[in-house]
Amino acid sequence: MAGEIKLKGFGVKDMLYFSGKPAEREKFIQNTPAKPLTEQYETNRKASERHPVKQRFVIKDIIDRGQDVKSFVFESLENRLPSFFRAGQYVVVRQIIDGKLIARPISISSGPEDALNGKMEITVKRNPNGYMSGWILDHWKKGDEVVTSGPQGTFYYEKYRDCRNVAAVCGGSGITPVLSMAKAIASGDEDFELTILYGSRTRKDILFEADFKKIMERTKKVKLISVLSDEKLSGYEQGFVGADLIRKYMGQKEFSLFASGPQGMYRFLDQEVEKLGLDEKHYRKEIFGASHEPWKEAGYPADARNRYFHVTVKMCDRTYDIEADSNETLLVAFERAGVAGPNRCRGGICGYCRSKLLSGEVFIPEDTDGRRQADKAYGYIHPCASFPVSDLVLEVPNNK
Amino acid sequence: MKQYDVIVIGSGTGGLSAALTLAQAGKKILLIEQHNLPGGCSTSFVRGRFEFDATLHEFCGIGEEGNWGDTGKLLMDQYRLPIKWYAIPDMFRVIGRARSGKHYDVRMPVGVENCIRKMEETVPGSEKPMRTFFALAEECSQAANYFYQHMDQVDSKGNIKTSKLYFMKHFPNFLKVAERPYNEVLRRIGMPEDAIDILGTYWAYMALGGDKISFVQMAFMFYSYCKDKPAICEYNAHGLAVTGIERLRELGADVWLNVRGEKVVSDKDGNIQGVQTSAGFVSANYVIANMNPQTAYTSLLDKNIRIPEREIKKANASIHSSRFLNVYLGLNKSIEELGIQDYAIFFPREINSPLNFEESCHFEGNYFGAAVIYNVARPDISPEGTTFMVLTIEYNAEVWDKFSQREYVSKKQEAFKGILDAFEQETGIVIHDCIEEMEIATPWTFAHFLNTPQGSVYGYQYTEWDTMLSRLMMMRKDQPIKGFKTCGASGARGDGYSQTYFNGNDMANLILEEMEGR
């Protein structure tokens, strides 16, 4: 039908207008000054402040919290402030140990306001089965330089998603992101009612008790209830944090439940949450971490346990042949061999370690399978939450 | 050290498309991507039990098996990507007051006849001008196709050579209406004013009001959506990117993720020798960068590569186009429970594209909102009993630069509350009490992930002097550096998924010509 219609009121002038367009554009370009181009706009500058690839710090102070726990106070190098963050977020600490690059997500225990004063604090507890935590506690000293990622993670309060009343159930060093939330409430950077049910074995295992006391003097929105499992003491609840205790302190109010602690605590809490009748919207967990005992997970191929598999890792134009212990995640195998790709959450969720499985089979516990739909269909895996159950060939992103 | 024929920097739709074209032509390709994921904007992220598509609202020009539209032909027939498409049942629903003061709530169906009927029903007296409108759109579409097939000749001014006589004979109306402003042409063909307002609903995709955007651009897009139906794909935009990457692997290309292209390295005469990447130096004599030319000129090219003065002038003359605030919502109710029937809902309050554009240049008083509810077209996109939707605010100026780090979160929340309230008021659909997961992306977020100037997503803004047709005519002249091209939303064909796939294809073809010494 092209050209079939006769347009009224359009003519030669319109055609000339059309033909003149490229010349008009050329003229506009030529009449513009050739001044040097802007290299970075304000939006981009602020975005890179907020989401830096790396942050370089120096350790300004080390605070012994007892019980094999230390806090490290960082000050930034390079004339910039630590990135402002959402209380509850973590940074990935990158550390070269025995010539191998190891990385771990560690929660920020300071409040966001401190970042504006040039400081950021993380807190590390020794994990007897771990590698990095012990190394940090034994080696880091004042004046050392530390490299971390920008703030990461989504375990934070969101005004238009969560209830104004939050019950935070914490165990052990899982208290640190919630401590940061409490500080943020005190400084006015967050605004919600936070009731913390903090489980410890005995009173001396309670971390940051004095800090919480100070925060509660500053704001009525934060309330700490310490729950001791192995000790009876007045002013403290006794037992484990379960449905009854949560109900006791939250009453009839509608609330969101935030949980941060060891895997055992989440398993226990999952059942208690059912008793409370909370739906998924009202129940948020800090990253669970990879399974420590994959052979106990549903669907694990029994004969794969306690074995070593041969893994070929392709990274850009390099190829590495390594061994992988079937009882550990592939990411740990990469780290042991000094060929780790990028990684952040180490719990299967964030997807930063996403790699292509070219051949072989892995076991991925369902709880920690945070893969995208297309990745499942096209054979991509998250090595931080995948266990080898055969020899493998993988393509892993570069890590520089 | 490996030698490649071409290194493509950036795996956004433009870069991916360029790499696919070159790999299909038998060239040895290395595609590098700064992120751990391919795709640029074409990506997704997981929150709880939801996977959120980051940017794909609706594809233009897909069509269907056996009758592919222009984009469908490129992706399915040429690149042979195994993509499953889902057609979107209607074009859009728009709610608001026209300039006349009359309130409309219109669901515009797909299909030319349906659309004409609906417009006549909504604004009596529209039928005849609607028929003229579609006839002109069809002529524009044919003229554009003819033009695309003849882009290999250049005239004495460096512009693409077209036969004026051929156009006058076959597409005479095209020559008269193509570059005139959209609303002006609609008015001159007798379109009622309220219908003009409703026909401007898609202005946000062009990031310019109907008083300024060339007729051909808006009419062509409207017509493509109407005729071929808007579409989304299985596995969302991330799946689209992964499909492209897998196809590249099949074609023998190498793909390196989490690798930054730091410098395009040349010899003392400016002949390209390769790319310095974060994973080392890689040689190649040809490079395509999926980035804004301004970014390439200020940070990517080494000093020996001469950047013509016209390019600096052009970059200074150009305006960075739209950037967005996107709110991704995972709701714990189904669309049936919520009473949602529409895939795309525009709720501008005032259906008036010039005004909407003007308002989009500010943070405050920017009331133009759009909602996309994916489950309407793809029921399985989120778990049973849930809904995935996105609310979008468009900004056509750098308005997010003024906020401090500390107030950033509260500004995100303020903007979200504004669009949430508007959505609930205009549609009567209540969603604020069933938000299970949410994330808000702002221009800062886009600046962080895409590294585009000001976090813009739409490349360079169309203006009255910088129209798509004149850019296309000057496509060769606008890429003057031998062995180096940029592709993406700043390319001649502009922004959007379909356009950037075509633009990557255009740039790959220019590189192929240079390689063959043509």
Side-chain angles (χ1 to χ4, degrees):
Chain A
M1 63 181 159
E4 280 170 21
I5 54 160
K6 294 272 174 280
L7 273 186
K8 275 186 224 148
F10 287 84
V12 177
K13 234 172 121 182
D14 296 294
M15 281 208 196
L16 288 174
Y17 180 78
F18 177 91
S19 326
K21 275 287 172 183
E24 184 190 336
R25 180 171 186 267
E26 189 60 31
K27 199 174 154 194
F28 196 95
I29 291 169
Q30 293 301 345
N31 287 343
T32 304
K35 62 175 199 286
L37 297 174
T38 304
E39 286 183 26
Q40 192 182 38
Y41 291 94
E42 190 63 2
T43 298
N44 299 74
R45 193 184 65 73
K46 286 184 170 159
S48 66
E49 262 179 21
R50 189 104 188 165
H51 305 290
V53 179
K54 281 177 193 172
Q55 305 192 82
R56 287 182 61 219
F57 295 111
V58 63
I59 300 174
K60 202 71 191 167
D61 201 7
I62 301 176
I63 306 161
D64 195 334
R65 305 282 182 192
Q67 306 303 306
D68 254 343
V69 179
K70 285 179 187 170
S71 294
F72 298 90
V73 182
F74 296 159
E75 240 179 43
S76 17
L77 287 168
E78 298 168 340
N79 195 29
R80 66 179 289 281
L81 295 174
S83 292
F84 200 75
F85 57 92
R86 301 293 287 270
Q89 287 192 301
Y90 64 85
V91 289
V92 180
V93 173
R94 291 161 65 100
Q95 180 69 53
I96 293 178
I97 303 177
D98 298 334
K100 292 163 188 168
L101 178 63
I102 311 288
R104 288 291 182 278
I106 301 177
S107 290
I108 304 170
S109 51
S110 51
E113 189 179 41
D114 290 342
L116 301 173
N117 302 317
K119 286 196 169 58
M120 188 180 85
E121 179 197 280
I122 64 169
T123 298
V124 180
K125 181 187 169 78
R126 187 184 302 268
N127 171 0
N129 305 312
Y131 182 50
M132 178 93 145
S133 59
W135 196 94
I136 287 177
L137 291 178
D138 297 338
H139 292 83
W140 275 7
K141 51 186 192 308
K142 272 189 208 178
D144 283 0
E145 280 188 26
V146 175
V147 177
T148 78
S149 69
Q152 300 294 335
T154 57
F155 184 66
Y156 49 74
Y157 177 74
E158 188 67 68
K159 186 176 171 182
Y160 292 110
R161 178 194 63 198
D162 302 318
C163 300
R164 183 163 172 82
N165 290 294
V166 173
V169 176
C170 308
S173 60
I175 191 69
T176 51
V178 176
L179 171 64
S180 179
M181 290 180 197
K183 289 175 177 173
I185 291 171
S187 68
D189 287 295
E190 293 287 356
D191 180 21
F192 61 102
E193 306 284 333
L194 177 63
T195 304
I196 306 159
L197 293 152
Y198 179 22
S200 306
R201 287 221 310 276
T202 64
R203 189 182 165 190
K204 67 175 179 12
D205 295 304
I206 301 173
L207 297 169
F208 303 107
E209 203 175 12
D211 300 67
F212 275 111
K213 211 176 150 215
K214 264 192 234 154
I215 292 167
M216 288 188 284
E217 281 162 13
R218 278 180 71 188
T219 172
K220 290 208 158 24
K221 291 179 193 159
V222 177
K223 201 164 150 188
L224 174 77
I225 295 108
S226 283
V227 185
L228 306 176
S229 60
D230 297 3
E231 193 178 2
K232 235 181 176 160
L233 216 60
S234 89
Y236 296 82
E237 288 285 353
Q238 214 249 317
F240 292 99
V241 183
D244 293 341
L245 263 187
I246 295 169
R247 231 180 245 133
K248 176 177 168 183
Y249 285 96
M250 300 314 289
Q252 296 304 307
K253 292 177 287 200
E254 197 194 13
F255 65 93
S256 291
L257 184 65
F258 284 20
S260 174
Q263 290 186 356
M265 188 194 93
Y266 294 128
R267 290 214 172 84
F268 175 71
L269 204 55
D270 284 350
Q271 295 162 8
E272 299 298 298
V273 160
E274 252 175 64
K275 290 184 205 165
L276 289 166
L278 289 183
D279 57 15
E280 283 171 278
K281 166 174 164 61
H282 294 95
Y283 182 30
R284 312 193 69 78
K285 283 185 246 184
E286 172 58 310
I287 287 156
F288 186 81
S291 171
H292 303 315
E293 298 167 315
W295 52 88
K296 287 188 178 169
E297 308 277 347
Y300 187 82
D303 59 343
R305 193 182 167 187
N306 296 332
R307 291 179 63 185
Y308 280 88
F309 293 108
H310 182 250
V311 178
T312 305
V313 176
K314 296 183 173 183
M315 193 184 266
C316 298
D317 51 353
R318 309 179 298 278
T319 303
Y320 308 95
D321 289 308
I322 67 167
E323 288 278 288
D325 180 339
S326 67
N327 297 349
E328 295 179 337
T329 67
L330 273 172
L331 177 58
V332 171
F334 297 164
E335 284 182 331
R336 287 189 189 281
V339 300
N343 62 91
R344 279 180 187 154
C345 78
R346 303 180 80 88
I349 301 304
C350 82
Y352 197 56
C353 63
R354 175 185 180 273
S355 301
K356 170 86 177 170
L357 184 61
L358 297 171
S359 75
E361 272 180 56
V362 296
F363 173 70
I364 303 169
E366 207 189 325
D367 275 3
T368 52
D369 189 355
R371 290 179 297 164
R372 294 162 173 87
Q373 293 176 43
D375 287 345
K376 288 182 187 173
Y378 283 96
Y380 287 83
I381 63 164
H382 296 169
C384 75
S386 304
F387 296 86
V389 297
S390 78
D391 289 344
L392 306 171
V393 182
L394 289 142
E395 192 167 326
V396 177
N398 186 55
N399 191 14
K400 267 186 187 163
Chain B
M1 192 178 62
K2 268 189 167 171
Q3 169 80 38
Y4 290 91
D5 294 327
V6 187
I7 298 171
V8 178
I9 301 173
S11 66
T13 40
L16 199 52
S17 179
L20 283 164
T21 302
L22 292 162
Q24 273 189 328
K27 303 300 173 192
K28 184 71 188 153
I29 302 302
L30 173 65
L31 173 62
I32 62 174
E33 164 58 49
Q34 62 173 333
H35 288 296
N36 66 320
L37 288 174
C41 274
S42 181
T43 192
S44 72
F45 55 98
V46 174
R47 290 289 181 270
R49 51 185 179 146
F50 294 88
E51 179 175 343
F52 291 152
D53 191 302
T55 65
L56 176 55
H57 289 184
E58 43 194 350
F59 241 103
C60 193
I62 293 296
E64 54 202 4
E65 179 85 60
N67 188 25
W68 296 121
D70 299 334
T71 319
K73 276 183 199 141
L74 180 67
L75 297 181
M76 307 305 285
D77 289 345
Q78 189 172 335
Y79 294 156
R80 300 187 180 284
L81 302 178
I83 300 168
K84 187 176 165 192
W85 295 100
Y86 294 77
I88 293 163
D90 296 301
M91 288 175 79
F92 56 80
R93 176 180 169 192
V94 62
I95 310 167
R97 264 190 318 271
R99 281 168 297 137
S100 64
K102 191 166 175 205
H103 189 269
Y104 287 95
D105 183 348
V106 190
R107 183 175 292 133
M108 194 53 72
V110 292
V112 171
E113 283 305 318
N114 297 335
C115 187
I116 293 171
R117 208 175 309 129
K118 184 74 191 183
M119 194 62 99
E120 172 62 27
E121 217 175 85
T122 311
V123 186
S126 303
E127 186 184 338
K128 202 169 158 248
M130 281 298 282
R131 290 199 184 282
T132 311
F133 169 66
F134 279 118
L136 291 176
E138 169 64 23
E139 191 178 319
C140 284
S141 146
Q142 288 182 18
N145 277 334
Y146 176 83
F147 178 81
Y148 293 146
Q149 284 155 19
H150 297 84
M151 291 204 302
D152 49 353
Q153 300 291 319
V154 179
D155 69 15
S156 58
K157 290 181 189 139
N159 296 339
I160 286 169
K161 199 171 170 177
T162 46
S163 159
K164 287 223 173 59
L165 281 176
Y166 189 91
F167 270 81
M168 281 171 80
K169 186 163 174 220
H170 296 274
F171 314 114
N173 297 319
F174 168 79
L175 295 181
K176 293 170 192 161
V177 300
E179 288 284 42
R180 288 292 192 189
Y182 183 64
N183 284 4
E184 181 196 312
V185 174
L186 292 177
R187 203 160 281 135
R188 285 168 70 181
I189 62 173
M191 192 70 73
E193 290 297 316
D194 286 7
I196 292 177
D197 289 347
I198 292 166
L199 288 172
T201 299
Y202 281 141
W203 77 269
Y205 295 175
M206 288 287 168
L208 198 63
D211 56 336
K212 295 204 172 116
I213 192 78
S214 294
F215 176 81
V216 59
Q217 292 177 236
M218 275 287 275
F220 185 47
M221 181 175 61
F222 192 97
Y223 182 53
S224 294
Y225 275 132
C226 188
K227 180 172 61 94
D228 296 329
K229 299 177 187 166
I232 52 170
C233 57
E234 189 179 32
Y235 304 136
N236 67 52
H238 171 66
L240 193 67
V242 172
T243 310
I245 296 291
E246 296 305 307
R247 180 77 181 114
L248 274 176
R249 288 180 202 272
E250 263 176 38
L251 293 166
D254 288 332
V255 180
W256 293 358
L257 299 177
N258 217 36
V259 172
R260 269 185 76 81
E262 287 164 351
K263 261 308 166 234
V264 173
V265 178
S266 68
D267 65 14
K268 63 177 176 20
D269 301 319
N271 300 310
I272 291 170
Q273 303 296 305
V275 176
Q276 184 60 46
T277 78
S278 56
F281 179 78
V282 188
S283 9
N285 297 120
Y286 298 89
V287 175
I288 293 183
N290 186 182
M291 61 174 72
N292 187 287
Q294 183 167 342
T295 314
Y297 298 156
T298 53
S299 66
L300 187 69
L301 301 182
D302 80 6
K303 287 196 191 76
N304 297 328
I305 301 170
R306 204 184 69 81
I307 302 162
E309 194 183 64
R310 182 178 178 275
E311 282 300 290
I312 305 294
K313 288 180 166 186
K314 176 157 65 87
N316 277 320
S318 303
I319 300 165
H320 300 298
S321 190
S322 296
R323 63 236 68 191
F324 299 92
L325 179 128
N326 271 1
V327 187
Y328 308 91
L329 296 170
L331 309 177
N332 65 6
K333 283 185 187 161
S334 66
I335 52 170
E336 291 80 15
E337 288 172 279
L338 293 165
I340 294 174
Q341 294 172 37
D342 301 284
Y343 178 85
I345 307 175
F346 296 87
F347 43 104
R349 296 181 200 215
E350 310 283 339
I351 310 176
N352 176 355
S353 68
L355 176 73
N356 299 149
F357 174 80
E358 174 46 42
E359 286 178 348
S360 75
C361 298
H362 308 280
F363 178 78
E364 287 86 10
N366 180 357
Y367 295 122
F368 184 87
V372 169
I373 302 109
Y374 289 82
N375 301 67
V376 173
R378 260 198 63 192
D380 63 342
I381 196 155
S382 66
E384 215 182 313
T386 68
T387 297
F388 164 38
M389 66 180 286
V390 173
L391 294 172
T392 295
I393 304 173
E394 177 167 333
Y395 301 100
N396 281 297
E398 193 186 17
V399 298
W400 273 78
D401 58 339
K402 60 188 173 191
F403 302 130
S404 73
Q405 295 291 342
R406 195 170 200 176
E407 69 187 341
Y408 174 63
V409 169
S410 63
K411 288 294 168 188
K412 281 165 85 160
Q413 289 167 342
E414 183 186 330
F416 168 55
K417 186 72 167 79
I419 192 171
L420 173 72
D421 288 349
F423 175 81
E424 292 193 336
Q425 281 160 20
E426 297 292 309
T427 64
I429 298 164
V430 177
I431 56 170
H432 71 268
D433 58 353
C434 56
I435 300 169
E436 179 175 316
E437 295 290 346
M438 67 178 278
E439 196 64 67
I440 305 174
T442 73
W444 292 21
T445 317
F446 287 99
H448 163 54
F449 281 107
L450 306 176
N451 194 29
T452 52
Q454 305 175 358
S456 63
V457 179
Y458 278 8
Y460 285 133
Q461 191 175 86
Y462 292 119
T463 61
E464 284 157 303
W465 68 266
D466 199 11
T467 64
M468 186 163 82
L469 283 182
S470 40
R471 282 187 203 176
L472 277 166
M473 301 277 279
M474 298 171 143
M475 190 178 79
R476 290 161 185 278
K477 205 172 173 177
D478 284 347
Q479 293 286 345
I481 298 171
K482 194 177 172 302
F484 178 79
K485 308 288 164 229
T486 59
C487 68
S490 51
R493 305 209 197 202
D495 62 88
Y497 276 78
S498 48
Q499 298 306 93
T500 45
Y501 269 103
F502 277 110
N503 177 245
N505 176 249
D506 289 340
M507 292 305 114
N509 287 331
L510 290 190
I511 285 284
L512 286 171
E513 281 180 18
E514 283 187 15
M515 292 174 94
E516 288 157 23
R518 278 193 268 146

